[in-house]
Amino acid sequence: MSNLKYKAIVALLAIIPVSCNDDFLDQVPDDRLTFEETFSKRSTVEQYLAAIYDHIPSELDQRYTASNSGPWIGGSDEAEYVWSFHLGNALNVGDWNPTTGHVSTLWSNFYRAIRSASTFMQNIDQCQDCPEEITRRLVAEARILRAFYYYNLIRIYGPVILMGEEPIAPDANLEELGLQRNTMEECVNYIVSELDQGAEALEGIAFKGDRAGRMSRPFAMAIKAKTLLFYASPLFNGNQDYAALQNAEGQNLIPQSYDVNKWQMAAEAARAFIDEFTPNTFRLYKVYNEDGSYNPYLSCREVMYDDFNEEMIYARPRGGIAYHYDCTPYHLGYPTEVRGAGGLSITQEMVDAYFMANGRPIDDPESGYVETGFSDFHAPFDFQSRSTFNPWVGREPRFYVGVTYNNSLWINRNFGDVITTTWYGGNSGRQAGSNDYPPTGYVVRKNVPPRDWRNSERSIPYMRLAEIYLDYAEALNEYDPGNPDILKYVNLIRERAGIPEYGSEDLEAPSGQEAVREAIRKERRIELAFESVRYFDARRWKIAEEAFAGSFHGMDINAGDEADFYNKVIFEERVFNKRHYLWPIPQDELNSNTDLVQNTGW
């Protein structure tokens, strides 16, 4: 974004009533555009809408967990940030509460955006040079954005306040308005209805090329499917842990009776997306070698940074420098181009989750997994064989896409062949980096382009077709177990990953609903690793008390001898209990509106 456009957006934001809580309001300086001027012409109308877009989560900025990015990767069982200020580290040890700053910051970000979207929709008819078809499109975009921000709120906080169509005046008395949290059913129905309206209005309108990154019919339909999947999941579908979570009238905010039909609704929404948009609009991204043979490693790697490719349903234009730096190892003695921090580190638990090349988990007796020793191994990202710790030998392609391990070739070879060493005395170990090192001995590699980490000329992936396929398979298995589509769509993911498909000659199919459920969950964990999905999956499945708590492991990064580095050690004891499934309502919101009720346990 140009500095001029950015300054224009900042100026416009100053006139937007940004929240239902006047703690976030400022006086409007005299030298800013008036409200009437802003909505009188198309140029400033579109800048106003651009400012609403700016609230879309930027999930490659998680190191500092900015106003619209969360701690989802480092706050899950996937990873650990080395820096203590990262919010995920507080989540991992249970050291957070309703007064924690970011709890309020995320809430406020999305409500600001919701209020701005409503303001936009209420006032765009004042535009004097906006043709009817342009007004219709811009309103649809604002409507989808508003619904999308509500979706973000409910997956973090659970049922929230639906603000209605009329923006609340900045000086309104919240107590007199009697604003309460709506039920989960009301929230979901509203989000779905808004997405349906937006999708209908944008039918036939292009969303790629110069409109890449704008709201679209496919994105609206995808978020609808995601919303319904959340609503069908154990966290919100008959969860009696929230029996006491009620509004002032004694109405349960979260349904207390399980309803299998919710899974059917989620499956049908995902299926509607698939039927309309595949394979002509979206398809699984694949890369082929010069000889025409399929390359699963490059397919799984490049799908993340080949801008707006055929699998990407939505991506946020430009960014990613912070993430690139976090995932580029320290590389002492090398130039800045290949020298980062390596501070986003993978847990041993995530490393162990990847399959072997034969598609079997490492605890399968037929997997061929070897726990000790070394072998000469030619990794798919390398040009030669290297001595490699046997647990990292013969793994599936997605392992090598996702994990930087000790004595591996770095992907950016513009400065030559850099071998990353993460043990204590290595070029990217604790001794070299001081405050910049991987606390488990592994560094996240996925979603890092093989070039200078300072290059931000790329889109930030948000959602791709693989996720919709797995959503569909999961929902279908819950309401119609045994349906052949379930393994069909899981196998499409496995086939792209270059591993045997379930039910093939090389791998038996899981038998029964529970076994298939487990297979789908394992596939999601691997395929969508480090894409800000696992944190929400474990919570909606209600498995986070086991998955996110207890002893977490890594290599021995403090061992002075490299040979001892390969001993698995505990690096942290983590905490997750029932109250952590939903974030608390921010304390400042409770203080300004006593009609709000706090989430259970907080």
Side-chain angles (χ1 to χ4, degrees):
M1 181 183 295
S2 69
N3 288 335
L4 180 62
K5 184 175 181 182
Y6 180 78
K7 289 176 181 177
I9 288 173
V10 170
L12 285 164
L13 280 173
I15 68 166
I16 303 171
V18 293
S19 172
C20 60
N21 185 333
D22 59 7
D23 290 343
F24 303 108
L25 298 176
D26 296 307
Q27 295 297 314
V28 180
D30 293 335
D31 61 343
R32 302 294 172 89
L33 290 172
T34 67
F35 194 87
E36 290 74 17
E37 288 173 328
T38 298
F39 286 99
S40 65
K41 55 185 179 180
R42 180 175 171 180
S43 59
T44 48
V45 161
E46 291 192 336
Q47 287 176 331
Y48 191 108
L49 183 61
I52 303 172
Y53 269 95
D54 204 44
H55 293 263
I56 291 175
S58 179
E59 301 296 22
L60 295 192
D61 293 320
Q62 291 190 22
R63 184 202 315 159
Y64 293 109
T65 52
S67 64
N68 61 351
S69 64
W72 317 131
I73 297 174
S76 76
D77 57 354
E78 293 179 325
E80 169 83 359
Y81 263 101
V82 68
W83 304 294
S84 60
F85 58 74
H86 177 64
L87 179 64
N89 292 333
L91 268 61
N92 290 336
V93 297
D95 186 20
W96 60 301
N97 58 57
T99 66
T100 299
H102 199 67
V103 170
S104 179
T105 301
L106 270 179
W107 173 281
S108 302
N109 171 70
F110 293 126
Y111 270 114
R112 285 190 183 101
I114 288 166
R115 179 179 177 81
S116 297
S118 297
T119 300
F120 180 89
M121 294 163 66
Q122 289 291 318
N123 292 278
I124 191 174
D125 59 354
Q126 300 177 30
C127 180
Q128 299 170 13
D129 60 345
C130 292
E132 183 178 349
E133 65 273 16
I134 296 297
T135 298
R136 176 180 169 84
R137 174 172 63 80
L138 297 182
V139 168
E141 290 183 34
R143 188 180 302 280
I144 295 170
L145 281 167
R146 184 171 66 179
F148 176 52
Y149 294 135
Y150 275 120
Y151 160 77
N152 278 273
L153 283 167
I154 65 170
R155 68 180 190 152
I156 298 170
Y157 303 96
V160 293
I161 305 169
L162 296 176
M163 302 301 294
E165 299 305 301
E166 293 284 345
I168 294 174
D171 57 352
N173 186 311
L174 300 184
E175 299 286 356
E176 291 180 358
L177 290 173
L179 292 176
Q180 297 188 53
R181 296 173 69 177
N182 289 79
T183 67
M184 194 65 185
E185 180 179 16
E186 290 168 340
C187 291
V188 168
N189 288 344
Y190 177 77
I191 293 169
V192 167
S193 174
E194 291 289 283
L195 291 170
D196 282 344
Q197 290 184 63
E200 181 180 1
L202 293 182
E203 186 171 6
I205 296 178
F207 57 90
K208 295 196 174 183
D210 61 359
R211 295 203 69 248
R214 304 292 288 261
M215 292 293 99
S216 67
R217 176 176 172 84
F219 184 66
M221 291 177 65
I223 293 299
K224 173 182 175 178
K226 297 294 298 181
T227 301
L228 291 171
L229 186 76
F230 256 86
Y231 191 40
S233 298
L235 183 62
F236 296 123
N237 194 352
N239 186 357
Q240 296 186 4
D241 292 337
Y242 293 118
L245 185 59
Q246 301 177 345
N247 60 21
E249 287 73 40
Q251 187 178 19
N252 290 106
L253 297 185
I254 291 176
Q256 294 300 288
S257 299
Y258 175 76
D259 183 359
V260 71
N261 293 317
K262 292 176 182 176
W263 288 110
Q264 182 176 357
M265 293 170 63
E268 289 174 348
R271 182 74 218 195
F273 180 96
I274 293 168
D275 287 344
E276 182 168 346
F277 299 115
T278 65
N280 293 331
T281 304
F282 299 105
R283 64 184 64 86
L284 293 181
Y285 182 91
K286 292 185 177 180
V287 175
Y288 294 86
N289 300 315
E290 291 184 2
D291 63 3
S293 60
Y294 176 59
N295 192 318
Y297 166 73
L298 289 181
S299 299
C300 294
R301 187 180 87 166
E302 294 182 9
V303 66
M304 300 305 299
Y305 58 79
D306 185 356
D307 285 344
F308 301 104
N309 61 69
E310 64 261 33
E311 185 173 337
M312 204 60 62
I313 297 170
Y314 186 77
R316 198 176 193 268
R318 297 197 65 210
I321 287 181
Y323 182 84
H324 298 167
Y325 179 75
D326 299 344
C327 297
T328 301
Y330 192 75
H331 292 149
L332 179 66
Y334 289 91
T336 303
E337 178 181 346
V338 294
R339 184 172 175 176
L344 181 53
S345 191
I346 308 173
T347 66
Q348 187 68 50
E349 284 68 24
M350 183 63 225
V351 168
D352 292 345
Y354 285 98
F355 299 127
M356 298 296 289
N358 60 12
R360 298 177 183 271
I362 64 172
D363 59 359
D364 186 323
E366 298 182 47
S367 69
Y369 179 74
V370 178
E371 287 192 80
T372 59
F374 295 82
S375 299
D376 284 336
F377 175 67
H378 190 167
F381 52 74
D382 210 335
F383 59 89
Q384 68 175 51
S385 297
R386 300 185 194 279
S387 177
T388 306
F389 190 39
N390 276 331
W392 310 332
V393 171
R395 304 297 287 271
E396 60 153 305
R398 291 175 295 188
F399 173 87
Y400 302 103
V401 170
V403 183
T404 294
Y405 51 83
N406 191 55
N407 203 41
S408 58
L409 178 71
W410 181 236
I411 52 177
N412 180 359
R413 298 178 62 202
N414 294 334
F415 186 74
D417 302 330
V418 180
I419 306 301
T420 303
T421 49
T422 58
W423 69 285
Y424 182 79
N427 60 32
S428 302
R430 187 168 189 176
Q431 184 179 51
S434 184
N435 293 318
D436 297 337
Y437 61 89
T440 69
Y442 304 99
V443 185
V444 174
R445 177 176 288 209
K446 185 178 181 181
N447 207 355
V448 180
R451 57 180 184 245
D452 189 334
W453 64 263
R454 296 168 296 182
N455 188 337
S456 65
E457 296 299 320
R458 51 91 45 105
S459 58
I460 302 174
Y462 183 84
M463 184 187 297
R464 52 194 180 90
L465 182 61
E467 187 172 351
I468 297 298
Y469 279 176
L470 292 170
D471 289 353
Y472 175 54
E474 178 186 342
L476 199 58
N477 184 58
E478 295 302 327
Y479 96 90
D480 188 18
N483 189 306
D485 265 5
I486 299 167
L487 290 185
K488 171 186 173 181
Y489 282 92
V490 174
N491 280 335
L492 286 174
I493 303 299
R494 293 175 69 86
E495 185 263 341
R496 193 264 295 276
I499 58 176
E501 300 171 29
Y502 288 121
S504 66
E505 182 179 339
D506 298 315
L507 186 67
E508 65 277 8
S511 179
Q513 183 185 36
E514 186 173 342
V516 172
R517 179 187 297 130
E518 186 62 23
I520 293 169
R521 291 182 177 185
K522 286 181 178 179
E523 205 67 45
R524 290 183 69 91
R525 186 177 186 184
I526 297 167
E527 176 65 25
L528 304 174
F530 317 120
E531 296 184 43
S532 298
V533 173
R534 173 67 176 177
Y535 180 83
F536 296 100
D537 276 354
R539 288 167 62 248
R540 67 182 178 84
W541 294 331
K542 287 189 66 182
I543 65 167
E545 287 169 89
E546 296 76 38
F548 291 0
S551 300
F552 275 73
H553 301 82
M555 297 288 96
D556 189 352
I557 63 167
N558 297 308
D561 190 318
E562 185 174 3
D564 293 330
F565 165 82
Y566 297 98
N567 295 324
K568 189 184 300 185
V569 299
I570 296 172
F571 77 86
E572 186 171 55
E573 294 289 342
R574 292 188 171 181
V575 174
F576 192 100
N577 56 48
K578 285 189 185 301
R579 73 175 181 173
H580 295 137
Y581 280 107
L582 293 180
W583 280 36
I585 303 301
Q587 189 61 47
D588 54 359
E589 297 293 335
L590 296 172
N591 293 342
S592 63
N593 181 6
T594 58
D595 287 323
L596 289 180
V597 293
Q598 182 58 280
N599 279 328
T600 302
W602 294 100

PDB file of all heavy atoms in Angstrom, residues 361-378:
ATOM      1  N   PRO A 361       1.470 -43.269  10.371  1.00  0.00           N
ATOM      2  CA  PRO A 361       2.036 -42.530  11.499  1.00  0.00           C
ATOM      3  C   PRO A 361       3.233 -43.269  12.083  1.00  0.00           C
ATOM      4  O   PRO A 361       3.378 -44.482  11.902  1.00  0.00           O
ATOM      5  CB  PRO A 361       0.874 -42.463  12.498  1.00  0.00           C
ATOM      6  CG  PRO A 361      -0.029 -43.589  12.126  1.00  0.00           C
ATOM      7  CD  PRO A 361       0.109 -43.773  10.644  1.00  0.00           C
ATOM      8  N   ILE A 362       4.097 -42.562  12.792  1.00  0.00           N
ATOM      9  CA  ILE A 362       5.347 -43.159  13.255  1.00  0.00           C
ATOM     10  C   ILE A 362       5.129 -44.256  14.292  1.00  0.00           C
ATOM     11  O   ILE A 362       6.015 -45.092  14.500  1.00  0.00           O
ATOM     12  CB  ILE A 362       6.318 -42.096  13.811  1.00  0.00           C
ATOM     13  CG1 ILE A 362       5.739 -41.413  15.068  1.00  0.00           C
ATOM     14  CG2 ILE A 362       6.645 -41.061  12.740  1.00  0.00           C
ATOM     15  CD1 ILE A 362       6.730 -40.501  15.773  1.00  0.00           C
ATOM     16  N   ASP A 363       3.962 -44.274  14.946  1.00  0.00           N
ATOM     17  CA  ASP A 363       3.708 -45.326  15.937  1.00  0.00           C
ATOM     18  C   ASP A 363       3.074 -46.572  15.316  1.00  0.00           C
ATOM     19  O   ASP A 363       2.757 -47.528  16.021  1.00  0.00           O
ATOM     20  CB  ASP A 363       2.846 -44.803  17.081  1.00  0.00           C
ATOM     21  CG  ASP A 363       1.493 -44.257  16.617  1.00  0.00           C
ATOM     22  OD1 ASP A 363       1.222 -44.273  15.399  1.00  0.00           O
ATOM     23  OD2 ASP A 363       0.717 -43.803  17.481  1.00  0.00           O
ATOM     24  N   ASP A 364       2.885 -46.575  14.003  1.00  0.00           N
ATOM     25  CA  ASP A 364       2.405 -47.767  13.307  1.00  0.00           C
ATOM     26  C   ASP A 364       3.578 -48.734  13.143  1.00  0.00           C
ATOM     27  O   ASP A 364       4.631 -48.362  12.617  1.00  0.00           O
ATOM     28  CB  ASP A 364       1.858 -47.361  11.929  1.00  0.00           C
ATOM     29  CG  ASP A 364       1.201 -48.507  11.172  1.00  0.00           C
ATOM     30  OD1 ASP A 364       1.684 -49.649  11.263  1.00  0.00           O
ATOM     31  OD2 ASP A 364       0.213 -48.245  10.467  1.00  0.00           O
ATOM     32  N   PRO A 365       3.426 -49.993  13.577  1.00  0.00           N
ATOM     33  CA  PRO A 365       4.533 -50.958  13.464  1.00  0.00           C
ATOM     34  C   PRO A 365       5.041 -51.142  12.039  1.00  0.00           C
ATOM     35  O   PRO A 365       6.191 -51.557  11.835  1.00  0.00           O
ATOM     36  CB  PRO A 365       3.911 -52.252  13.996  1.00  0.00           C
ATOM     37  CG  PRO A 365       2.787 -51.825  14.871  1.00  0.00           C
ATOM     38  CD  PRO A 365       2.257 -50.567  14.247  1.00  0.00           C
ATOM     39  N   GLU A 366       4.203 -50.829  11.044  1.00  0.00           N
ATOM     40  CA  GLU A 366       4.610 -50.986   9.651  1.00  0.00           C
ATOM     41  C   GLU A 366       5.150 -49.691   9.033  1.00  0.00           C
ATOM     42  O   GLU A 366       5.400 -49.633   7.826  1.00  0.00           O
ATOM     43  CB  GLU A 366       3.432 -51.486   8.825  1.00  0.00           C
ATOM     44  CG  GLU A 366       2.907 -52.855   9.243  1.00  0.00           C
ATOM     45  CD  GLU A 366       1.775 -53.325   8.349  1.00  0.00           C
ATOM     46  OE1 GLU A 366       1.923 -53.225   7.113  1.00  0.00           O
ATOM     47  OE2 GLU A 366       0.741 -53.751   8.885  1.00  0.00           O
ATOM     48  N   SER A 367       5.344 -48.669   9.846  1.00  0.00           N
ATOM     49  CA  SER A 367       5.756 -47.372   9.302  1.00  0.00           C
ATOM     50  C   SER A 367       7.210 -47.345   8.864  1.00  0.00           C
ATOM     51  O   SER A 367       7.581 -46.578   7.971  1.00  0.00           O
ATOM     52  CB  SER A 367       5.517 -46.269  10.342  1.00  0.00           C
ATOM     53  OG  SER A 367       6.424 -46.400  11.437  1.00  0.00           O
ATOM     54  N   GLY A 368       8.059 -48.143   9.497  1.00  0.00           N
ATOM     55  CA  GLY A 368       9.485 -48.107   9.198  1.00  0.00           C
ATOM     56  C   GLY A 368      10.235 -47.030   9.953  1.00  0.00           C
ATOM     57  O   GLY A 368      11.418 -46.786   9.688  1.00  0.00           O
ATOM     58  N   TYR A 369       9.590 -46.407  10.920  1.00  0.00           N
ATOM     59  CA  TYR A 369      10.218 -45.335  11.705  1.00  0.00           C
ATOM     60  C   TYR A 369      11.353 -45.883  12.558  1.00  0.00           C
ATOM     61  O   TYR A 369      11.219 -46.928  13.201  1.00  0.00           O
ATOM     62  CB  TYR A 369       9.157 -44.678  12.590  1.00  0.00           C
ATOM     63  CG  TYR A 369       9.657 -43.572  13.485  1.00  0.00           C
ATOM     64  CD1 TYR A 369       9.979 -42.328  12.957  1.00  0.00           C
ATOM     65  CD2 TYR A 369       9.768 -43.764  14.865  1.00  0.00           C
ATOM     66  CE1 TYR A 369      10.408 -41.294  13.774  1.00  0.00           C
ATOM     67  CE2 TYR A 369      10.184 -42.732  15.694  1.00  0.00           C
ATOM     68  CZ  TYR A 369      10.512 -41.505  15.145  1.00  0.00           C
ATOM     69  OH  TYR A 369      10.926 -40.480  15.951  1.00  0.00           O
ATOM     70  N   VAL A 370      12.486 -45.169  12.557  1.00  0.00           N
ATOM     71  CA  VAL A 370      13.662 -45.546  13.355  1.00  0.00           C
ATOM     72  C   VAL A 370      13.965 -44.402  14.321  1.00  0.00           C
ATOM     73  O   VAL A 370      14.130 -43.254  13.901  1.00  0.00           O
ATOM     74  CB  VAL A 370      14.877 -45.834  12.462  1.00  0.00           C
ATOM     75  CG1 VAL A 370      16.101 -46.187  13.311  1.00  0.00           C
ATOM     76  CG2 VAL A 370      14.564 -46.955  11.469  1.00  0.00           C
ATOM     77  N   GLU A 371      14.047 -44.707  15.600  1.00  0.00           N
ATOM     78  CA  GLU A 371      14.170 -43.669  16.629  1.00  0.00           C
ATOM     79  C   GLU A 371      15.580 -43.163  16.848  1.00  0.00           C
ATOM     80  O   GLU A 371      15.768 -42.044  17.355  1.00  0.00           O
ATOM     81  CB  GLU A 371      13.625 -44.193  17.964  1.00  0.00           C
ATOM     82  CG  GLU A 371      12.117 -44.299  18.028  1.00  0.00           C
ATOM     83  CD  GLU A 371      11.639 -44.532  19.444  1.00  0.00           C
ATOM     84  OE1 GLU A 371      11.575 -43.544  20.207  1.00  0.00           O
ATOM     85  OE2 GLU A 371      11.365 -45.684  19.790  1.00  0.00           O
ATOM     86  N   THR A 372      16.591 -43.948  16.521  1.00  0.00           N
ATOM     87  CA  THR A 372      17.965 -43.580  16.851  1.00  0.00           C
ATOM     88  C   THR A 372      18.866 -43.716  15.635  1.00  0.00           C
ATOM     89  O   THR A 372      18.496 -44.317  14.621  1.00  0.00           O
ATOM     90  CB  THR A 372      18.510 -44.480  17.975  1.00  0.00           C
ATOM     91  OG1 THR A 372      18.465 -45.851  17.536  1.00  0.00           O
ATOM     92  CG2 THR A 372      17.683 -44.335  19.241  1.00  0.00           C
ATOM     93  N   GLY A 373      20.072 -43.171  15.774  1.00  0.00           N
ATOM     94  CA  GLY A 373      21.077 -43.333  14.749  1.00  0.00           C
ATOM     95  C   GLY A 373      20.952 -42.358  13.592  1.00  0.00           C
ATOM     96  O   GLY A 373      20.074 -41.495  13.584  1.00  0.00           O
ATOM     97  N   PHE A 374      21.821 -42.516  12.607  1.00  0.00           N
ATOM     98  CA  PHE A 374      21.899 -41.585  11.482  1.00  0.00           C
ATOM     99  C   PHE A 374      22.002 -42.363  10.173  1.00  0.00           C
ATOM    100  O   PHE A 374      22.486 -43.498  10.143  1.00  0.00           O
ATOM    101  CB  PHE A 374      23.119 -40.671  11.630  1.00  0.00           C
ATOM    102  CG  PHE A 374      23.045 -39.762  12.823  1.00  0.00           C
ATOM    103  CD1 PHE A 374      23.390 -40.223  14.090  1.00  0.00           C
ATOM    104  CD2 PHE A 374      22.603 -38.463  12.692  1.00  0.00           C
ATOM    105  CE1 PHE A 374      23.319 -39.396  15.201  1.00  0.00           C
ATOM    106  CE2 PHE A 374      22.520 -37.623  13.798  1.00  0.00           C
ATOM    107  CZ  PHE A 374      22.872 -38.091  15.053  1.00  0.00           C
ATOM    108  N   SER A 375      21.543 -41.718   9.100  1.00  0.00           N
ATOM    109  CA  SER A 375      21.648 -42.292   7.764  1.00  0.00           C
ATOM    110  C   SER A 375      22.005 -41.193   6.776  1.00  0.00           C
ATOM    111  O   SER A 375      21.726 -40.006   7.013  1.00  0.00           O
ATOM    112  CB  SER A 375      20.319 -42.932   7.332  1.00  0.00           C
ATOM    113  OG  SER A 375      19.941 -43.977   8.188  1.00  0.00           O
ATOM    114  N   ASP A 376      22.628 -41.596   5.656  1.00  0.00           N
ATOM    115  CA  ASP A 376      22.797 -40.653   4.562  1.00  0.00           C
ATOM    116  C   ASP A 376      21.452 -40.556   3.856  1.00  0.00           C
ATOM    117  O   ASP A 376      20.925 -41.547   3.347  1.00  0.00           O
ATOM    118  CB  ASP A 376      23.866 -41.152   3.595  1.00  0.00           C
ATOM    119  CG  ASP A 376      25.268 -40.948   4.141  1.00  0.00           C
ATOM    120  OD1 ASP A 376      25.439 -40.060   4.992  1.00  0.00           O
ATOM    121  OD2 ASP A 376      26.179 -41.682   3.725  1.00  0.00           O
ATOM    122  N   PHE A 377      20.916 -39.363   3.835  1.00  0.00           N
ATOM    123  CA  PHE A 377      19.558 -39.185   3.321  1.00  0.00           C
ATOM    124  C   PHE A 377      19.502 -37.977   2.407  1.00  0.00           C
ATOM    125  O   PHE A 377      20.038 -36.905   2.721  1.00  0.00           O
ATOM    126  CB  PHE A 377      18.572 -39.010   4.471  1.00  0.00           C
ATOM    127  CG  PHE A 377      17.167 -38.711   4.042  1.00  0.00           C
ATOM    128  CD1 PHE A 377      16.406 -39.656   3.374  1.00  0.00           C
ATOM    129  CD2 PHE A 377      16.604 -37.463   4.300  1.00  0.00           C
ATOM    130  CE1 PHE A 377      15.113 -39.378   2.958  1.00  0.00           C
ATOM    131  CE2 PHE A 377      15.306 -37.180   3.899  1.00  0.00           C
ATOM    132  CZ  PHE A 377      14.567 -38.144   3.219  1.00  0.00           C
ATOM    133  N   HIS A 378      18.831 -38.129   1.277  1.00  0.00           N
ATOM    134  CA  HIS A 378      18.658 -37.048   0.309  1.00  0.00           C
ATOM    135  C   HIS A 378      17.265 -36.445   0.490  1.00  0.00           C
ATOM    136  O   HIS A 378      16.269 -37.003   0.028  1.00  0.00           O
ATOM    137  CB  HIS A 378      18.827 -37.581  -1.111  1.00  0.00           C
ATOM    138  CG  HIS A 378      18.913 -36.507  -2.144  1.00  0.00           C
ATOM    139  ND1 HIS A 378      19.323 -36.748  -3.444  1.00  0.00           N
ATOM    140  CD2 HIS A 378      18.653 -35.174  -2.088  1.00  0.00           C
ATOM    141  CE1 HIS A 378      19.297 -35.621  -4.133  1.00  0.00           C
ATOM    142  NE2 HIS A 378      18.884 -34.650  -3.326  1.00  0.00           N
TER     143      HIS A 378
END
